[in-house]
Amino acid sequence: MHKPQMHLTVQLIGGTGIEQGAWRWPGDQANAFIDVDALVRAARTAERGKLDAIFFADTPAVTVDLATSSPQAALDPVVVLTALARETERIGLVATASTTFNHAYTVARQFRALDLVSGGRIGWNAVTTSHPAAALNFGAEIPDRAERYAHAEEFIASVMALWGSWPEGALLLDTQNGRFADAERIRPVMARGRRMFSRGPLGLPPSPRDSPSSSRPAAGPTAWPSPVPTRTPSTTTPSTSPPPPPTGRRSGEPPRRTAGTRTT
């Protein structure tokens, strides 16, 4: 009989968590928001505690009063996850990347590279970003809600198409016969929508886990209005809930926990 279980994830936004005054906590490290060693120590503690994943929310803007609070999105999550991937072994590593202020090829390349560096432990939290300060940093305006989410669906579909552009088994590394890859299987994807286009393919093969996981807020003011795909089209149909966080398991290993996760 199946016993319900849950995934446990810790959010390390700002280096000390979501509480804006945590930098003042006695014995804590006030500059943890810019100290990657502090984040590594936290990640190792979470891994020893058998947590499934570490999550870094991100908004590309200063969204707090710096007179009294440390920035909640200081170090770029891609940089942080690269460091943590090298200093941990099993814990999943999840970060936010905006679908409004990024390009699909950039996100596909960054998260596929992170998945390879980490041995298949990366997750992408897709958000549309509606903070006015973020728009000003990019010299843009915030599209209305319907436009943001329509674009996001095309964006996610393009990322997944790019992740699927290099199929499993296409990397040959046949030194005797001089065959690096099966080029016939690595094709442009021509990911096209009303709002974007990406030719592809990526220049990176899949990680041991195939592709990064992806998720989106399931509740609250940033909740998605409709189901969106959460894995590559070849492996998954659209889902109404986020996938569990990546844990770096290899095929055949038992999961530490098996229920879904919720990202806000």
Side-chain angles (χ1 to χ4, degrees):
M1 180 177 179
H2 174 70
K3 293 183 178 180
Q5 295 179 311
M6 65 179 177
H7 288 284
L8 297 177
T9 300
V10 60
Q11 182 170 210
L12 288 180
I13 187 172
T16 52
I18 201 167
E19 171 53 52
Q20 294 181 16
W23 66 276
R24 300 178 60 195
W25 189 259
D28 209 343
Q29 187 171 335
N31 71 336
F33 75 104
I34 54 171
D35 187 343
V36 72
D37 290 331
L39 296 171
V40 166
R41 288 193 294 272
R44 288 174 171 171
T45 298
E47 188 168 62
R48 288 196 304 272
K50 307 300 183 183
L51 272 69
D52 288 286
I54 300 169
F55 172 52
F56 290 88
D58 187 62
T59 300
V62 175
T63 59
V64 299
D65 182 357
L66 293 179
T68 58
S69 303
S70 63
Q72 292 198 317
L75 296 177
D76 189 300
V78 171
V79 175
V80 174
L81 262 56
T82 303
L84 298 188
R86 304 304 298 163
E87 298 292 337
T88 57
E89 295 180 357
R90 292 183 59 83
I91 195 165
L93 305 168
V94 184
T96 291
S98 172
T99 59
T100 301
F101 299 113
N102 277 305
H103 193 280
Y105 189 90
T106 300
V107 170
R109 185 186 185 199
Q110 287 176 335
F111 280 78
R112 168 58 63 81
L114 282 168
D115 216 39
L116 287 164
V117 169
S118 68
R121 294 185 285 138
I122 295 299
W124 167 39
N125 179 51
V127 300
T128 64
T129 309
S130 59
H131 200 292
L136 290 172
N137 285 341
F138 290 89
E141 295 182 356
I142 296 289
D144 64 36
R145 179 179 173 83
E147 175 68 17
R148 289 201 321 275
Y149 285 98
H151 172 74
E153 292 199 24
E154 291 183 354
F155 189 106
I156 293 171
S158 296
V159 168
M160 291 194 299
L162 288 162
W163 283 343
S165 65
W166 194 311
E168 186 176 356
L171 181 64
L172 302 176
L173 300 180
D174 182 352
T175 56
Q176 279 200 330
N177 297 304
R179 298 189 68 202
F180 180 78
D182 185 348
E184 290 299 315
R185 300 180 62 201
I186 305 169
R187 312 294 293 180
V189 297
M190 300 299 181
R192 187 185 303 274
R194 290 179 298 163
R195 302 161 183 84
M196 65 183 311
F197 172 77
S198 184
R199 177 182 182 272
L202 285 180
L204 295 169
S207 76
R209 199 172 57 93
D210 183 22
S211 292
S213 292
S214 62
S215 63
R216 71 282 184 276
T222 58
W224 286 70
S226 62
V228 293
T230 57
R231 291 300 299 270
T232 55
S234 62
T235 59
T236 294
T237 55
S239 170
T240 57
S241 60
T247 60
R249 286 190 298 114
R250 296 294 184 269
S251 177
E253 289 185 313
R256 292 198 298 274
R257 295 173 177 83
T258 56
T261 187
R262 174 174 172 268
T263 305
T264 56

